[in-house]
Structure formats: C-alpha cells, structure tokens
Amino acid sequence: MKNVSQIIDGKRKIIKKPELLAPAGNLEKLKTTIMYGADAVFVGGKEFSLRSQASNFTIDDIKEAVEFANGYGAHIHVTCNIILHQDNLKGIKEYLKTLDEIGVRAIIVADPYIMRIAKELKLRLEVHVSTQLSTLNLKAIQFYADMGMDRVVLGRETTFEDLKVIMEKTPIDIEYFIHGAMCIHYSGRCMLSNYLSRRDANRGGCSQSCRWYYDLYDQGELVNQEKDMPFSMSSKDMALVDHIGELIELGVDSFKIEGRMKSLHYIATVVSTYRKLIDAYCDNPDEFQFNDFYRQELNKAANRALCHGFFYDNPTKDEQLFNLRDEHPTQEFVIRVLDYDQEKKLAKIEQRNYFQLGDKVEFFSPHHENIVVDIHKIYNEDMEAIEVANHPMEILYIEIDYPVQSHDMGRKV
Ligand code: SF4
C-alpha cells in the first residue's frame, strides 16, 4: 500500500494526490478541461483510436494540446486502443514515434502488438493498458507489469473491495473510473450496436442501441404497450463523488472521468467539481466533511440519474433506467465569458443558449465561488440595448458588477 499522507505542522495532509484525468473531443474542450482543473486529458488521435465518432485530433491538434497543457503543468494522453485488424498495422511505428517526439505523456493501448512495439521502440512516453481489456484482478495487472506497461486502466466493473486488494500490491499505476456513462453490457464487449445499426461498438462506433426504445414481450405477449411505457436498457451514469476520500486514501494514482462526446458545459462542471473536492479533501483529510454542494454541482450538468456503478457490487434494477433514456441537464448553459472590463463593469460574452432580461444566471469558474447575477442590461456588438439573446454564438455584452473572468461560464438558474 502506498503512503499517501504525512504530518505537516501537526496536521495530516495528503502528499500523494491522485491525477484528475478527463476527456476532450476537440481543442476547445481540451483547453477548458485543463483550465477547470484537470491534471491530464485523454484524446483520440485520428489514427489507431477507438472512438471514431469523437471528433478525433490530428497530429497538429495534439501538438497544440501538448503545448497548451505544458503551460498549466498538465499532460496529454492519446488513445491508441483500436482493436487492430490486419489492414490497420501500417504506419503504427511512425505514429508512435511522432507522439513521443511531440511530448505526449502516455498512450492508452489495447492490442498486445502495440504494447510490445511501444516498448521495443524505447519511447519516453508511458504505455497504459486500456479499460477495453477489462482488467479486474491483481494477477492480470502483474502480467501487464511484466510486459513493461506503466499503468492499467481498470474495467468499470472493479468493485471497491477488489480495488482494495489491488492497491495493496499493485506494482504499477492504477487508473480508476470515478464518473461517466455505463454500458448496460460488460464495458464495450457488446454486439447490440453491430446487429442493430451495423456500427461496431468494439471499434468505436457504438450507436447506443441499448438506450433505444423497445417493445417488451413476456411469453409472446406485448407487455409495455398498454401502459404506453417504452422499454429501454439504459444504465444510470456512475458518480463516485461521495467516495473520493476513500479512493484517495487507497492511493489510486489516477481518477478518470469519461465522456469525450460530452458538451463544454458538462465537462467544465464535472472537472471543476472533482477538482474542488479532491483539493479540499487532500488539504485536511481528517476534518473533511462531505457536503451536498458537490452532488448538487454535478446535477447541474448530469444527463441522467446518477448511481455508484459497480462500486459496491453488481448493479441492481435500481441502477437502471428501464423506460427513460432522455438526457436533460438541470441547468442550461447560456453564457461563455470572453472578457471583462473592470472600469465599465461590462462582460463581453458568447451566447450559448437563449436568455433574456430578468433571467438569473449563475456564473462558475475555476477561479471563484459560484455567483448568481440578475441580467439587467444586454447589448449587441454595436452597443445597442437588446432584450433577448437568441442568436447562438453571438458576441454580446452584459452589465455585471461582479468581476467575472475570461472562460467563466453562466448557466440559467
Ligand atoms: S449498445 Fe449500449 S451496452 Fe452496447 S456498447 Fe453501446 S452503450 Fe455499451
């Protein structure tokens, strides 16, 4: 077990903070993710990455991402977790060398061939075993350690009890999912999407067929039509927000947030919430008291109801959403702050959703506490007063006494 804390000035402090690792589907989200407190971001490259739909990064994008991350002391991980078919092998060595040269911290891999060549090429970057391999036990972790791997991303199906056993003796770093969507099937090992939409879930093309609406038959009799209740197999999303302290005390090396396809508002909200929670716990673990603020924050961006996934044991019917697959954030993201003029008390903003005079907007940020403001003056780019902001991405100005900052976000209360 790793030593995670030390007495400093008579008070126990956490000296081994876990890495907070978050996803990004494009450069804008990546920069926001880092500004809102992620220590590392994982992205998919255009080549050799599993999530083909997740607007993947070119080499130039990855280069820009690394440079931006370096400015914040953060790191970039690149997924190379494609299940390789014979015709996917070409160019892999050159690709890995390029990622290494531009300063990528780690690649996330699933195919044993990529594991082997990444080590044979003697690259500086770390090699992380993808969650796609569903690693759930210490013996398998030892196997990957013997192959020279630097980290294992555990399967989402790892319970807390199993994690305790793993953290006692693991010879390499462990990454553990703390937040995100769950498959109804064993993570990714699912053929539903292949059969129903010809999109291969195991090669990044999942059409989330488990969340479609189905007719449900019991011994030949249609049972869900009468009640006009659609049947779906959607799982609630996982959130371990109330167990972060226990995971830190175990010495888990990296906390993973899932969701490369999620919105800017979602990722900023989730990352900043876990950032604040981890920092508060590590600063004073013995007096830390979990309060509902963190869960309430997550709920403002949560798409679906939240649960603990496999943390306690196999999920039960209570962790499923059998007839509900719609995704609704509880608060709408309406404003992105571009600049603030302290003298004129005027914020230059980008409109992200409809708002109008009289609305209450809550601004949140990595730099200050949440603040709720009444919108009482809106101007267009020609500084003409307007009453409604109804053009997506329009540049506008609002009067606001509180000094907001560039990249702060506002959501309608
Ligand atoms: S269809 Fe559902 S269970 Fe299957 S891989 Fe996609 S999200 Fe997972």
Side-chain angles (χ1 to χ4, degrees):
M1 178 88 82
K2 294 167 185 176
N3 187 19
V4 297
S5 63
Q6 200 176 312
I7 305 293
I8 299 171
D9 297 333
K11 208 164 90 174
R12 192 169 78 93
K13 295 225 176 208
I14 299 293
I15 50 167
K16 186 186 177 308
K17 256 191 195 186
E19 168 189 85
L20 181 59
L21 175 66
N26 58 38
L27 273 170
E28 184 193 30
K29 288 182 196 171
L30 179 136
K31 291 176 183 178
T32 302
T33 302
I34 291 172
M35 285 186 286
Y36 275 74
D39 300 304
V41 180
F42 63 100
V43 304
K46 283 264 181 233
E47 297 155 274
F48 308 108
S49 168
L50 190 61
R51 303 273 175 262
S52 57
Q53 302 293 311
S55 49
N56 290 345
F57 285 57
T58 62
I59 286 293
D60 283 345
D61 292 337
I62 297 173
K63 212 170 168 182
E64 187 176 336
V66 169
E67 281 162 13
F68 183 86
N70 286 347
Y72 284 79
H75 303 292
I76 300 299
H77 301 185
V78 176
T79 55
C80 300
N81 54 353
I82 187 172
I83 309 294
L84 285 173
H85 286 231
Q86 217 31 59
D87 60 357
N88 296 131
L89 293 170
K90 208 166 157 235
I92 181 69
K93 286 187 184 174
E94 293 68 29
Y95 183 66
L96 296 184
K97 280 188 204 162
T98 306
L99 293 182
D100 195 47
E101 277 161 21
I102 62 181
V104 165
R105 163 58 74 92
I107 51 171
I108 304 162
V109 303
D111 193 285
Y113 175 64
I114 302 184
M115 293 179 195
R116 200 181 79 191
I117 57 167
K119 286 296 157 185
E120 279 177 3
L121 290 170
K122 299 199 185 315
L123 307 175
R124 286 165 305 167
L125 51 70
E126 293 181 3
V127 186
H128 297 175
V129 177
S130 169
T131 189
Q132 188 71 11
L133 292 182
S134 301
T135 308
L136 306 174
N137 68 77
L138 202 48
K139 295 285 184 198
I141 293 164
Q142 185 63 57
F143 171 83
Y144 292 121
D146 293 345
M147 285 183 69
M149 300 299 101
D150 300 283
R151 174 185 293 187
V152 168
V153 187
L154 294 179
R156 286 175 179 74
E157 297 79 12
T158 314
T159 63
F160 184 60
E161 285 308 310
D162 283 351
L163 182 66
K164 282 201 263 188
V165 175
I166 288 168
M167 292 314 301
E168 279 286 333
K169 294 210 172 116
T170 179
I172 51 178
D173 281 5
I174 294 297
E175 188 173 306
Y176 192 65
F177 278 93
I178 57 163
H179 194 98
M182 302 284 289
C183 274
I184 202 73
H185 203 281
Y186 219 77
S187 285
R189 293 167 184 259
C190 167
M191 292 297 147
L192 263 184
S193 175
N194 301 52
Y195 280 119
L196 294 173
S197 63
R198 290 180 180 267
R199 283 170 48 180
D200 189 344
N202 296 303
R203 305 192 87 207
C206 174
S207 56
Q208 299 202 320
S209 316
C210 58
R211 293 178 186 167
W212 297 358
Y213 290 142
Y214 294 90
D215 289 336
L216 182 65
Y217 287 86
D218 181 10
Q219 298 180 27
E221 192 186 333
L222 187 61
V223 293
N224 64 326
Q225 201 177 43
E226 263 177 37
K227 295 176 194 146
D228 198 23
M229 186 185 278
F231 175 78
S232 174
M233 293 178 277
S234 182
S235 164
K236 291 180 183 175
D237 283 357
M238 176 182 54
L240 299 183
V241 62
D242 47 349
H243 290 288
I244 289 301
E246 290 149 89
L247 293 170
I248 291 173
E249 297 291 352
L250 276 191
V252 174
D253 301 279
S254 178
F255 288 174
K256 184 169 201 152
I257 295 167
E258 179 275 346
R260 266 190 279 165
M261 302 292 280
K262 299 287 193 185
S263 71
L264 196 66
H265 173 240
Y266 174 93
I267 204 66
T269 302
V270 173
V271 167
S272 66
T273 303
Y274 282 105
R275 174 78 281 148
K276 286 170 190 161
L277 175 52
I278 292 168
D279 290 349
Y281 185 87
C282 291
D283 190 47
N284 193 354
D286 295 333
E287 286 170 34
F288 175 82
Q289 297 220 321
F290 182 79
N291 67 53
D292 225 33
F293 163 80
Y294 302 106
R295 210 189 319 259
Q296 283 166 9
E297 283 297 290
L298 291 176
N299 281 338
K300 291 171 186 172
N303 290 323
R304 280 184 291 271
L306 299 174
C307 72
H308 290 96
F310 286 77
F311 188 79
Y312 301 121
D313 203 345
N314 286 349
T316 68
K317 65 177 173 41
D318 296 332
E319 279 79 45
Q320 319 301 335
L321 298 166
F322 291 110
N323 55 9
L324 222 173
R325 55 172 266 232
D326 290 347
E327 304 191 349
H328 296 297
T330 54
Q331 290 190 6
E332 200 170 14
F333 171 36
V334 289
I335 288 172
R336 185 166 192 214
V337 177
L338 302 176
D339 208 352
Y340 182 72
D341 186 326
Q342 179 82 50
E343 238 170 67
K344 296 180 183 156
K345 303 210 177 302
L346 207 58
K348 182 179 182 183
I349 63 148
E350 190 177 72
Q351 190 266 26
R352 287 301 184 117
N353 272 299
Y354 181 97
F355 68 95
Q356 62 182 359
L357 289 181
D359 280 344
K360 281 190 192 307
V361 172
E362 178 182 63
F363 285 89
F364 74 104
S365 162
H367 309 292
H368 58 74
E369 298 295 312
N370 294 358
I371 168 108
V372 177
V373 166
D374 288 317
I375 301 294
H376 61 95
K377 281 271 166 52
I378 312 172
Y379 303 97
N380 64 18
E381 261 197 303
D382 298 324
M383 295 313 288
E384 295 161 343
I386 57 174
E387 292 185 2
V388 295
N390 55 358
H391 297 122
M393 309 300 282
E394 189 178 10
I395 304 300
L396 300 170
Y397 294 85
I398 56 170
E399 273 186 16
I400 169 171
D401 288 340
Y402 188 84
V404 288
Q405 295 185 30
S406 163
H407 301 291
D408 287 4
M409 295 190 196
R411 48 198 174 203
K412 203 151 48 168
V413 178

